[in-house]
Amino acid sequence: MTAVDVNPGAVAVAEEPAFAVELRGDDKSIRGWVIADSLVEGWAMGGVRFTPGVTESEVRLLAAGMTQKLALVGLPVGGAKAGIVDDGQDKDAILRTFGRTVAPLLHGGIHLGADLGVTPRDRKVFFEAAGYDPRRRPRAKPMPYDWRTYYEPLVDATGDGVGRAAVAALEVLRRDGAGSVVVQGFGSVGRAVGRFLQARGHRVVGIADEFGTVTGADLPVDALVAITDHLGRIDRSRLPAGVSTSSEPDAWLDVPADVLVLAAQADAINGGNVHRLSARLVVEGGNIATSPEAKVRIAASGSILVPDVVANVGGAAAAGLALTGTVPFELPGQARKEWVFEWIGSRVERNTRDLLEIVDGGSADPLGELLAARRGTRP
């Protein structure tokens, strides 16, 4: 396979967004931004990031990524994103102020949901402050139950999709049989990916959290999930036998593996550590998980990168399916969940396969070609 960067330009915002709003709150107590990168008939959607270091430029990149994700799966919604700077003050108070501030946008067609630092419970806080119910948004299709009933069973949709991207990429690369996997980040996405791949016969040989890296010949993912807290931190005092640990920064890069799944912070692979990459296939399970410099160097090394806009689409697509009324709401709970997972997974697999085939054809801009092919399609 030709060594070509499969994600050129995906982290660079080439055009000005549809609109950008700086937030200070009705009482000047918050700092944040809402960026609508694109609008489709006045609609856009994306999550809210709540971290100490979030910046306007990061929110712009994330909003542009949402545009690409939704276009690639064929959902007729524009891409948006919000960011709130976490200054250590009362979180609920900040979220209520945020809700009151963005209420006109929510009611006007810009749907904002959960993202890094914002849980479904947090989302409910700012929804209530805004008096916003997604079921009653402009031109919304009737939903016979509340948003939580629909969305919370789909918490693993992103991880499932990332896992399916990894499997599809391995098949295209003709790496048949059980592969070895390192998962960087053990939050909800990382845990779901680890379970997904192990259930399909792949060996998880490394898992990284904020304390370091856990390694083993075939890590017991379910046992590790059982000793992991809600922040994705594995309890080192309760590790199963045969598991090794390292506190060295970025030790996950050194673990020999067929696949590395990035499911944590932005720029996890960057110019300062990319030379340590062992895996020949990298799948971005988190947003903008690889820096622009690292992308170029990964491609030059002959490794393959499946970008976040292809692999990490589950949460966005699940919300978009409901907002556009595409999901068959009449299905009972488990059948509805299975329908959503299959809808998302089949598109992730198709996009992964088609992207890598375009790469193999020697394209200078494979992601651009894939986006051009998908734009205008509908579910």
Side-chain angles (χ1 to χ4, degrees):
M1 176 164 285
T2 307
V4 179
D5 181 3
V6 302
N7 197 21
V11 297
V13 179
E15 300 177 355
E16 284 298 306
F19 67 80
V21 178
E22 183 173 0
L23 307 174
R24 297 185 182 87
D26 52 9
D27 55 3
K28 307 297 188 293
S29 63
I30 64 171
R31 184 173 181 231
W33 305 268
V34 175
I35 309 293
D37 178 74
S38 59
L39 296 169
V40 176
E41 297 182 359
W43 284 26
M45 59 166 285
V48 179
R49 183 155 293 199
F50 188 94
T51 62
V54 68
T55 64
E56 180 179 358
S57 61
E58 179 183 358
V59 176
R60 284 175 178 258
L61 291 173
L62 293 167
M66 282 295 299
T67 291
Q68 294 177 333
K69 289 180 183 184
L70 295 165
L72 285 170
V73 297
L75 283 170
V77 186
K81 208 76 173 183
I84 308 170
V85 177
D86 180 2
D87 62 2
Q89 302 301 309
D90 183 272
K91 186 175 185 180
D92 279 4
I94 292 173
L95 290 171
R96 285 192 292 269
T97 299
F98 174 77
R100 293 192 300 269
T101 305
V102 301
L105 298 176
L106 291 170
H107 291 285
I110 310 302
H111 175 79
L112 301 171
D115 192 65
L116 188 62
V118 175
T119 66
R121 181 260 179 201
D122 297 332
R123 178 181 58 206
K124 182 179 178 182
V125 171
F126 72 77
F127 275 9
E128 289 181 349
Y132 173 68
D133 184 336
R135 298 173 300 172
R136 296 177 176 83
R137 59 182 282 122
R139 303 184 299 281
K141 302 294 177 64
M143 183 188 290
Y145 28 75
D146 62 24
W147 186 255
R148 178 178 179 179
T149 298
Y150 168 74
Y151 201 77
E152 289 196 359
L154 307 176
V155 64
D156 288 339
T158 297
D160 184 89
V162 173
R164 291 179 71 159
V167 171
L170 286 170
E171 290 174 352
V172 171
L173 296 172
R174 300 177 180 84
R175 297 175 188 170
D176 300 323
S180 54
V181 182
V182 172
V183 180
Q184 182 260 342
F186 211 46
S188 60
V189 173
R191 293 193 294 269
V193 173
R195 282 172 156 165
F196 179 96
L197 292 175
Q198 191 163 73
R200 284 152 183 81
H202 300 279
R203 294 180 299 109
V204 177
V205 297
I207 295 172
D209 63 7
E210 68 174 83
F211 299 134
T213 302
V214 174
T215 59
D218 191 356
L219 291 171
V221 175
D222 283 336
L224 293 174
V225 169
I227 60 171
T228 300
D229 67 16
H230 71 285
L231 296 176
R233 300 176 299 194
I234 301 170
D235 185 347
R236 299 301 196 269
S237 70
R238 301 165 60 194
L239 288 173
V243 173
S244 301
T245 64
S246 171
S247 59
E248 181 184 356
D250 300 338
W252 45 272
L253 280 163
D254 304 324
V255 181
D258 296 308
V259 185
L260 169 61
V261 176
L262 302 174
Q265 76 273 16
D267 292 346
I269 303 182
N270 52 66
N273 64 15
V274 65
H275 65 281
R276 295 170 59 180
L277 177 65
S278 298
R280 307 308 293 172
L281 171 64
V282 179
V283 180
E284 287 191 313
N287 292 317
I288 51 177
T290 310
S291 75
E293 178 185 353
K295 283 179 166 59
V296 173
R297 291 173 63 178
I298 288 171
S301 74
S303 293
I304 297 297
L305 173 71
V306 179
D308 63 335
V309 297
V310 170
N312 176 357
V313 302
L321 286 168
L323 294 173
T324 57
T326 304
V327 64
F329 292 129
E330 69 278 6
L331 288 177
Q334 183 60 30
R336 184 172 65 249
K337 175 181 176 178
E338 292 172 359
W339 186 95
V340 171
F341 273 52
E342 181 56 30
W343 191 99
I344 294 167
S346 64
R347 282 155 180 78
V348 169
E349 289 179 354
R350 181 183 68 167
N351 285 332
T352 300
R353 294 177 186 279
D354 288 356
L355 180 67
L356 296 191
E357 291 297 334
I358 294 170
V359 170
D360 202 31
S363 170
D365 183 13
L367 182 60
E369 284 193 26
L370 183 64
L371 281 162
R374 296 289 184 262
R375 284 198 165 101
T377 63
R378 291 294 180 263

